[in-house]
Amino acid sequence: MPETHDLTPGSQGSQLPVISLFSGAGGLDLAVERVADEPLDIPRSATLGPFRVAVATDYSSQALETLALNLPGTAILPSDIRDTPSSELLRMGSLQEGDAALVIGGPPCTPFSKSGFWLAEKRESRDPNASLLEEYVRVVAQTRPEAFVLENVQALTYRTHQVAFSRLLAALKELGYNPQWKTLLAADFGVPQLRKRVFIVGRRDGTAFEFPEATHAGPSETTRVWDQSKLPHVTAAQAFQGLIGVPEDGELVEGKYGDLAAEIPGGQNYLWHTDRYGGRDEFKWRSRYWTFLLRLSPEKPSSTLQAQPGPYVGPFHWENGMDEAGRQRARRLRVPEMLRLMTFPDDFQIVGSRADVQRQIGNAVPMELGKAVLRALSLQLGHVEPRTEAEHEALDRRQRRSILV
């Protein structure tokens, strides 16, 4: 019978080892180690949970430096997974085949991301990086964890990538893991961001994983009617509560579109400056990407944070700043604000320049979304105890009160 862990603060127990692939800055890793934390707990102090990330690997040594700062007990291996034997991962984690409770990770989403969709090789799933999905399967096959969690962009499930996606599911099924998949909206799990990600989860015993029910609901690009009994989506303004504004170098949007960006209201984008809205008639209708000159609405969750945005790609803050010439200028999101939109801890440390920080955050898994999936898996594997009805009610009341603050 699997060992169970109480999720109440201060609980103790031997922690189960996890192998992390394509770890990046450690969003999913953080979710693994904080799965015992209450949702959206601010300050987000860690509670001892059932898992520990024994070893993490990624091609980016800089991202692993970030991970090491925040998860100092994890062995890190900067390497290309295609050149990394599973035996080396097991050795560094002091593990044998079958020891790991989980293998987790999100193979780089470049082959399947909308941001690169215009390239023919990406549209046709011919990008060589698509083979990284096969590397993930290889590690699962050779380490035999109790379960795995694979995360990727929603576009992986599109018809244009059907061959690669079907091959991935078939390979995992052949291993006996009975993979289940679902596209989840981060905002439906308390993340103040309208970010969609697909999760594939499988168990070594072949039992079908059941995805968690959404805890929040609200409007989105594809939703106009929603469950009013659930908690409302967390807005950007609510996420930023309590932050002390400290200007960052380069945060103001200058250059060719500086004046235009500053005039766009919160929640609008370049379309404000077409003949259909109240701004200047500068652009043709639907002639740019949606994120071009996009401003956050304080009353809604953020759109997806971009990993490598151009100089005029949002979302930008709804408030303006003042440049040295005394002109109003839209401003970029500050690092503490981006951390809040990803539901990362306020004290999360990130290595590198401002562009490095944005890339690492934009490529990460929002912590609360990862926690929702991993908590459901932990419950179904018997590694944690479910909350009592009274605990559920108390948590619901606390969350509803926080929304009204």
Side-chain angles (χ1 to χ4, degrees):
M1 180 177 179
E3 181 179 3
T4 61
H5 296 249
D6 186 0
L7 284 187
T8 55
S11 61
Q12 299 291 322
S14 57
Q15 292 181 290
L16 305 169
V18 174
I19 297 172
S20 172
L21 310 177
F22 313 103
S23 309
L28 202 53
D29 305 66
L30 206 64
V32 161
E33 296 216 349
R34 297 197 173 209
V35 73
D37 292 359
E38 296 292 1
L40 301 177
D41 184 24
I42 300 175
R44 303 181 183 96
S45 57
T47 302
L48 184 65
F51 303 115
R52 62 178 177 86
V53 180
V55 58
T57 186
D58 195 277
Y59 183 80
S60 169
S61 58
Q62 184 182 65
L64 286 182
E65 287 181 51
T66 292
L67 186 148
L69 280 176
N70 298 282
L71 298 177
T74 298
I76 61 171
L77 178 60
S79 69
D80 187 328
I81 191 65
R82 291 166 290 194
D83 301 324
T84 306
S86 299
S87 58
E88 179 65 6
L89 292 169
L90 291 172
R91 185 192 68 79
M92 290 198 66
S94 300
L95 304 172
Q96 299 293 322
E97 180 181 333
D99 283 351
L102 305 174
V103 164
I104 62 170
C109 57
T110 305
F112 315 109
S113 171
K114 281 185 179 180
S115 63
F117 210 65
W118 61 86
L119 297 176
E121 63 266 28
K122 295 186 188 301
R123 288 200 306 270
E124 300 168 15
S125 294
R126 290 190 283 112
D127 191 299
N129 286 331
S131 66
L132 296 178
L133 294 172
E134 299 173 7
E135 297 298 329
Y136 187 101
V137 174
R138 169 182 65 83
V139 174
V140 170
Q142 294 174 352
T143 62
R144 299 298 298 174
E146 186 178 10
F148 71 83
V149 176
L150 189 155
E151 175 269 348
N152 216 291
V153 294
Q154 182 188 17
L156 174 60
T157 67
Y158 291 174
R159 185 177 61 182
T160 46
H161 304 304
Q162 183 176 359
V163 172
F165 189 51
S166 297
R167 186 186 301 126
L168 170 66
L169 295 176
L172 293 167
K173 186 175 182 180
E174 187 175 337
L175 296 177
Y177 279 82
N178 189 14
Q180 307 296 308
W181 69 272
K182 190 173 184 179
T183 298
L184 302 178
L185 178 65
D188 287 347
F189 296 89
V191 177
Q193 193 178 163
L194 296 170
R195 186 185 191 103
K196 287 186 176 180
R197 287 295 185 269
V198 64
F199 285 83
I200 307 171
V201 184
R203 293 175 49 165
R204 187 173 60 201
D205 63 9
T207 302
F209 171 69
E210 296 181 15
F211 279 90
E213 287 190 21
T215 54
H216 296 64
S220 68
E221 292 178 1
T222 57
T223 304
R224 296 294 176 265
V225 179
W226 59 91
D227 188 346
Q228 300 286 341
S229 68
K230 295 185 184 299
L231 294 165
H233 283 164
V234 179
T235 69
Q238 290 166 346
F240 295 165
Q241 285 176 6
L243 285 180
I244 299 174
V246 179
E248 296 178 356
D249 290 341
E251 70 175 23
L252 299 183
V253 180
E254 299 281 8
K256 182 178 181 180
Y257 300 111
D259 289 333
L260 296 177
E263 295 170 7
I264 297 174
Q268 299 287 344
N269 62 2
Y270 78 97
L271 294 175
W272 181 255
H273 291 301
T274 65
D275 59 6
R276 302 194 189 189
Y277 281 93
R280 310 183 199 182
D281 186 5
E282 293 283 343
F283 301 106
K284 298 294 184 182
W285 184 254
R286 293 184 177 175
S287 60
R288 305 278 181 143
Y289 285 109
W290 177 258
T291 51
F292 186 68
L293 302 185
L294 177 64
R295 306 290 298 268
L296 279 181
S297 167
E299 300 174 352
K300 297 178 181 179
S302 170
S303 59
T304 299
L305 294 183
Q306 304 288 312
Q308 293 178 295
Y312 302 111
V313 172
F316 303 118
H317 201 281
W318 60 86
E319 294 179 347
N320 284 333
M322 195 81 71
D323 69 9
E324 293 180 355
R327 298 172 297 188
Q328 291 284 323
R329 286 292 181 260
R331 73 165 177 84
R332 295 176 174 83
L333 295 174
R334 295 163 182 163
V335 173
E337 293 165 343
M338 290 192 288
L339 291 177
R340 285 286 182 90
L341 293 179
M342 294 294 288
T343 58
F344 277 28
D346 287 347
D347 60 358
F348 191 83
Q349 303 175 70
I350 310 178
V351 173
S353 67
R354 176 61 171 71
D356 296 330
V357 168
Q358 174 105 26
R359 182 174 59 255
Q360 292 175 63
I361 292 177
N363 283 328
V365 179
M367 188 178 76
E368 290 296 336
L369 178 59
K371 277 172 56 180
V373 174
L374 287 156
R375 178 183 171 84
L377 180 58
S378 302
L379 285 165
Q380 291 167 44
L381 290 173
H383 294 316
V384 298
E385 296 287 349
R387 294 189 183 97
T388 65
E389 188 64 31
E391 288 171 334
H392 270 296
E393 291 176 358
L395 177 60
D396 184 77
R397 286 195 300 271
R398 184 170 66 84
Q399 289 183 307
R400 290 186 186 277
R401 282 198 302 271
S402 69
I403 290 171
L404 297 175
V405 173

